Amino acid sequence: MNLPFKDKLQLPAVAAPMFLISGPRLVIECCKNGIVGTFPALNQRTTAGFEEWVIEIKNALDTFERETGKKAAPFGVNLIVHPTNPRVMADLEVCVKHQVPLIITSLGAVSDLVNAVHSYGGLVYHDIIKKRHAEKASEAGVDGLILVAAGAGGHAGTLNPLALINEIKQFFDKTLLLSGCISTGKDIASALQMGADLAYMGTRFINVKESLADSKYQEMIINSKAEDIIYTAAVSGVNANFLRPSLESMGITEALWSQTKKIDFEKELDAAKAEAQAWKTIWSAGQGVTAINDTPNVAALVSQLQNEFKEALEAQRKNLDFYF
């Protein structure tokens, strides 16, 4: 396994940074329970507020380690590396100042940012949906790639995960994370079997008690199936997966799903507000909703995922014994 911090994990999984969903409470509980917790910097309206969250998370995890003698999993921050995000440099300065262990970059991989994070020993993982993006990120020196395959929540790709992993492994030999329809411990085992080092889970962590998601959002996920996930650029200008009922409730019909608009954060100087207006009541999720039927707390969910993961590995061993 190509994973520098594997000794700090109880499960090879990352709770993905979700816009308007991931906050300090979710991140802290994930890290305390042995999986990587992350959040987008833009979930705070200002850089000052973002720094407050970073300090809160660091202090909570330091206290946890000191009081329990256990290791917490590292936490991460998602930075939108896009020319129309005016906060990216200020937010990066906060990450460097507080030595955030993991930076997840989206919409651009920049070698200067990678070098800044490497200066204090941090890691940079970049999310991609196609080979061309992966090649550019590799050239920028990132430490890992997040392969966002078909069916993932948020800004998903369209490629089958098997095809995507096999293609990227031909030229990238660092850490690989797989995203797309991963909701159970068995799914995590499958991701590793396909060649990933970590499972990257978003939708499953919308439905935990520590998330910032509206209870109606969580209920909609429980009541939805894979066919209720709509892939469209009509919401924010970038293709993403959304829950059909939330689209229809806002008057976005099938006739409108094919429409697109240009991404532009700069109209709202805090960079989050423009997206927030669209995403607040139009809710994103991945096809993994089909396996979600509850809203536990993080500790209970991680325990369940661990049991399912172990059972899946044991089943694989039995299959090996049978065939070989």
Side-chain angles (χ1 to χ4, degrees), residues 141-156:
V142 302
D143 304 286
L145 293 174
I146 303 163
L147 281 51
V148 187
H155 298 304

Side-chain angles (χ1 to χ4, degrees), residues 46 54 56 63 73 117 141 157 215 223 238 248 254 258 268 281-282 286:
T46 65
V54 171
E56 178 183 350
T63 299
V117 176
S215 60
N223 293 328
V238 179
E248 293 175 340
E254 188 170 358
S258 61
E268 306 291 350
T281 53
I282 301 176

Side-chain angles (χ1 to χ4, degrees), residues 11 13-16 18 21-22 26 29-30 35-36 182-183 188 200-213 218 221 292 297-299 301-302 305:
L11 194 64
V14 174
M18 294 175 286
I21 301 297
S22 307
L26 176 56
E29 288 305 307
C30 285
I35 68 171
V36 179
I182 301 175
S183 297
I188 296 172
Y200 198 70
M201 307 175 73
T203 303
R204 174 64 267 197
F205 282 88
I206 297 173
N207 273 47
V208 293
K209 297 188 185 304
E210 294 88 349
S211 91
L212 300 175
Q218 295 173 329
I221 285 176
I292 300 172
N297 59 37
V298 168
L301 175 58
V302 173
L305 293 172

Side-chain angles (χ1 to χ4, degrees), residues 2 118 138 141-145 169 171-176 197:
N2 190 351
H118 284 174
S138 180
V142 302
D143 304 286
L145 293 174
K169 273 185 169 290
F171 63 90
F172 190 79
D173 61 359
K174 299 179 183 178
T175 304
L176 290 182
D197 298 293

